[in-house]
Amino acid sequence: MRFKETPLKGAYIVELEPIRDERGFFARSFCQKEFSEHGLNSEIVQCNISSNKRKGTIRGMHYQESPHEEIKIVTCIKGSIYDVIIDLRPDSPTYCKWFASELSATDFKMLYVPKGFAHGFQTLEDDSIVFYQMSELYHPECARGVRWDDPAFKIDWATSVRVISDKDKHYPDFTGGIA
């Protein structure tokens, strides 16, 4: 695997190193030792799948607050997505900055999302499926979010929004750091 740090400290794009032959390819998609060697948390306790019917669907921007902050490793296993993270760590030099990367089922890139970041995505194709590995169990009492179009972040989304939940659409304006 190749680890490339994004402009947001602690967030990484992880690329596969496929071994190809006439059958296709084989590649390691997670290795606790390699993640640890890059200083990344490698304790995975839960995996989730998100299936999305329509292009333009937005899910996010979500995070869990303390004491259940989480790390996510996100990949797209069908279709493609515009994956977005926001640094919500008040003591970070990139506080309130966002980063996006296209992830697709043809490149199998992954985005490593550190604690203290909000995460969301927009589908770029119909029938896109996203796979998450999580470092923390889901704690609904700690689940939070910021609005996809909050003026504090000015995210430049890839395409028009066609589907979004009422919950994600109505988060209040962002007013500061997270707990």
Side-chain angles (χ1 to χ4, degrees):
M1 290 176 283
R2 291 182 294 269
F3 295 80
K4 297 179 179 177
E5 191 165 21
T6 72
L8 305 184
K9 187 161 182 59
Y12 283 80
I13 295 290
V14 182
E15 298 176 341
L16 303 184
E17 294 183 292
I19 300 168
R20 298 179 189 281
D21 64 18
E22 68 278 0
R23 298 169 296 177
F25 77 86
F26 175 84
R28 183 175 299 137
S29 63
F30 179 78
C31 175
Q32 186 177 45
K33 181 176 181 273
E34 287 187 55
F35 273 72
S36 293
E37 287 173 353
H38 286 83
L40 306 180
N41 182 323
S42 59
E43 185 177 326
I44 303 301
V45 299
Q46 188 176 71
C47 297
N48 303 320
I49 290 179
S50 168
S51 175
N52 306 278
K53 295 178 183 175
R54 296 190 57 208
K55 175 183 175 180
T57 299
I58 286 184
R59 291 184 186 255
M61 305 293 299
H62 304 142
Y63 63 93
Q64 283 195 161
E65 67 179 7
S66 181
H68 299 292
E69 294 175 290
E70 61 196 357
I71 290 165
K72 298 179 182 177
I73 304 170
V74 182
T75 190
C76 181
I77 58 173
K78 184 178 180 188
S80 59
I81 62 169
Y82 185 72
D83 208 30
V84 179
I85 56 176
I86 304 170
D87 186 349
L88 297 178
R89 302 170 297 183
D91 58 344
S92 170
T94 55
Y95 177 62
C96 288
K97 303 288 186 195
W98 62 274
F99 170 81
S101 179
E102 185 174 329
L103 306 179
S104 77
T106 56
D107 66 18
F108 293 101
K109 282 192 312 189
M110 296 175 278
L111 183 59
Y112 176 90
V113 184
K115 289 180 180 178
F117 280 65
H119 169 259
F121 64 83
Q122 182 177 45
T123 57
L124 300 175
E125 299 177 39
D126 289 344
D127 299 316
S128 291
I129 298 177
V130 180
F131 179 74
Y132 304 72
Q133 298 174 84
M134 315 291 288
S135 69
E136 182 62 59
L137 299 174
Y138 179 63
H139 292 272
E141 72 280 8
C142 293
R144 302 288 183 269
V146 295
R147 204 176 55 251
W148 67 282
D149 63 347
D150 193 307
F153 311 114
K154 299 180 181 147
I155 297 170
D156 187 16
W157 292 95
T159 187
S160 60
V161 179
R162 295 193 177 134
V163 180
I164 186 169
S165 72
D166 282 342
K167 177 182 167 190
D168 289 349
K169 198 183 322 182
H170 292 107
Y171 283 117
D173 283 349
F174 182 73
T175 57
I178 62 174

